[in-house]
């Protein structure tokens, strides 16, 4: 079974430019998470989806970050415009409904904003 | 607000010796507790979890953890460390906070197993 797929794996952009990350969760997993992991820190939740509904976006900086999961499967996280402080690894995770609380993580997208 | 503390930035242990990676937490209500491992350039991999029941939980690769409610701890342990266990370990807690199911990760502990 394929794991959580994320692309791109690496992205380098200049500040003020837009950037988008894509995630395809494990097939059948209803819950999808986006996290940001700064260097030397643990992951911090940005947004959680149950199917196509964003049920917790309380920690998403909505002035520049947006996310969508239109068909309840894959998801896109966007930053516009990017700032230097957005440099981090963006992790996607998924979980099946009733799956015992275990999240499965993708490899992440490492973003560097210059 | 809920929080997770991993008091040690790094733990060094000789191969074959027992290892412990510490984690304490603070939540309102009953916690779900997790340990994940992160290898270089890899995503986090689930090791084990505590939801309810037996306080000693066993997970992948011979790891285990003990939930201690009175000490609000969930330390990760392994009886005999392998060099291949060298990685970054994250403790996480999930609980209700402000009407949401919140997941909070610790900052991670680097485990170095010395041959």
């Amino acid at each position: 079974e394929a794991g959580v797929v994320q692309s791109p794996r690496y992205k380098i952009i200049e500040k003020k430019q837009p950037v988008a990350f894509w995630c395809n969760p494990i097939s059948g997993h209803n819950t999808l998470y986006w996290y940001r992991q700064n260097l030397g820190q643990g992951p911090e939740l940005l947004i959680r989806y149950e199917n196509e509904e964003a049920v917790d976006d309380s920690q998403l900086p909505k002035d520049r970050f947006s996310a969508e999961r239109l068909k309840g499967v894959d998801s896109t996280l966007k930053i516009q415009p990017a700032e230097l402080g957005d440099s981090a690894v963006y992790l996607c995770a998924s979980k099946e409904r009733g799956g015992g609380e275990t999240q499965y993580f993708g490899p992440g997208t490492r973003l560097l904003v210059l | 607000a809920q929080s997770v503390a991993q008091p040690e930035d790094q733990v060094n242990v000789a191969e074959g010796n027992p290892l412990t990676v510490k984690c304490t937490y603070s939540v309102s209500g009953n916690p779900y507790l997790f340990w994940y491992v992160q290898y270089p350039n890899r995503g986090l991999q689930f090791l084990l979890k505590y939801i309810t029941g037996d306080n000693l939980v066993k997970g992948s690769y011979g790891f285990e953890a003990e939930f201690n409610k009175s000490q609000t701890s969930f330390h990760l342990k392994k009886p005999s460390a392998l060099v291949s266990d060298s990685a970054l370990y994250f403790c996480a807690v999930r609980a209700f906070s402000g009407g949401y199911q919140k997941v909070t990760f610790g900052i991670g502990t680097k485990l170095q197993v010395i041959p």
Side-chain angles (χ1 to χ4, degrees):
Chain A
E1 180 182 290
V4 176
V5 178
Q6 289 188 249
S7 68
R9 291 294 310 275
Y10 305 92
K11 189 73 176 179
I12 301 174
I13 61 171
E14 294 185 346
K15 62 181 180 181
K16 300 184 182 180
Q17 294 300 307
V19 64
F21 315 123
W22 178 78
C23 171
N24 195 24
I26 293 173
S27 178
H29 281 198
N30 302 93
T31 307
L32 184 147
Y33 306 80
W34 282 105
Y35 290 88
R36 177 171 57 192
Q37 186 177 16
N38 292 310
L39 188 65
Q41 301 292 321
E44 297 175 315
L45 180 68
L46 292 173
I47 191 168
R48 175 169 69 96
Y49 281 93
E50 296 289 344
N51 299 308
E52 67 275 6
E53 182 182 2
V55 297
D56 182 0
D57 62 356
S58 58
Q59 298 185 82
L60 187 73
K62 298 181 182 64
D63 57 335
R64 298 183 299 107
F65 285 66
S66 65
E68 59 183 20
R69 193 186 186 200
L70 295 176
K71 297 183 179 178
V73 181
D74 57 341
S75 177
T76 302
L77 177 69
K78 298 179 181 178
I79 309 174
Q80 183 171 11
E83 297 178 352
L84 296 178
D86 295 331
S87 296
V89 176
Y90 290 82
L91 297 168
C92 180
S94 70
K95 181 177 77 70
E96 63 180 329
R97 181 179 296 157
E101 307 301 324
T102 301
Q103 298 181 36
Y104 295 87
F105 284 81
T109 296
R110 186 176 296 274
L111 173 67
L112 178 60
V113 182
L114 302 175
Chain B
Q2 66 186 48
S3 64
V4 175
Q6 293 184 241
E8 302 154 316
D9 289 338
Q10 181 160 335
V11 170
N12 297 319
V13 63
E15 185 177 24
N17 282 2
L19 68 87
T20 299
V21 182
K22 296 180 180 177
C23 172
T24 59
Y25 64 91
S26 175
V27 298
S28 302
N30 296 319
Y32 296 164
L33 293 155
F34 305 84
W35 276 101
Y36 286 84
V37 59
Q38 187 173 39
Y39 298 99
N41 298 315
R42 301 274 298 276
L44 278 76
Q45 296 179 33
F46 168 78
L47 276 181
L48 50 78
K49 65 187 176 187
Y50 170 81
I51 304 298
T52 186
D54 194 351
N55 288 346
L56 183 65
V57 293
K58 296 185 183 295
S60 307
Y61 312 120
F63 284 92
E64 59 186 28
E66 185 168 13
F67 171 61
N68 188 316
K69 188 173 183 178
S70 63
Q71 296 185 7
T72 61
S73 67
F74 190 58
H75 301 331
L76 181 70
K77 299 181 179 183
K78 186 173 182 180
S80 179
L82 300 173
V83 173
S84 57
D85 293 330
S86 297
L88 194 56
Y89 290 81
F90 290 93
C91 180
V93 63
R94 181 182 174 191
F96 274 103
S97 177
Y100 295 99
Q101 278 275 359
K102 291 289 190 185
V103 177
T104 302
F105 283 79
I107 63 171
T109 297
K110 183 179 180 180
L111 173 66
Q112 189 73 41
V113 181
I114 303 164

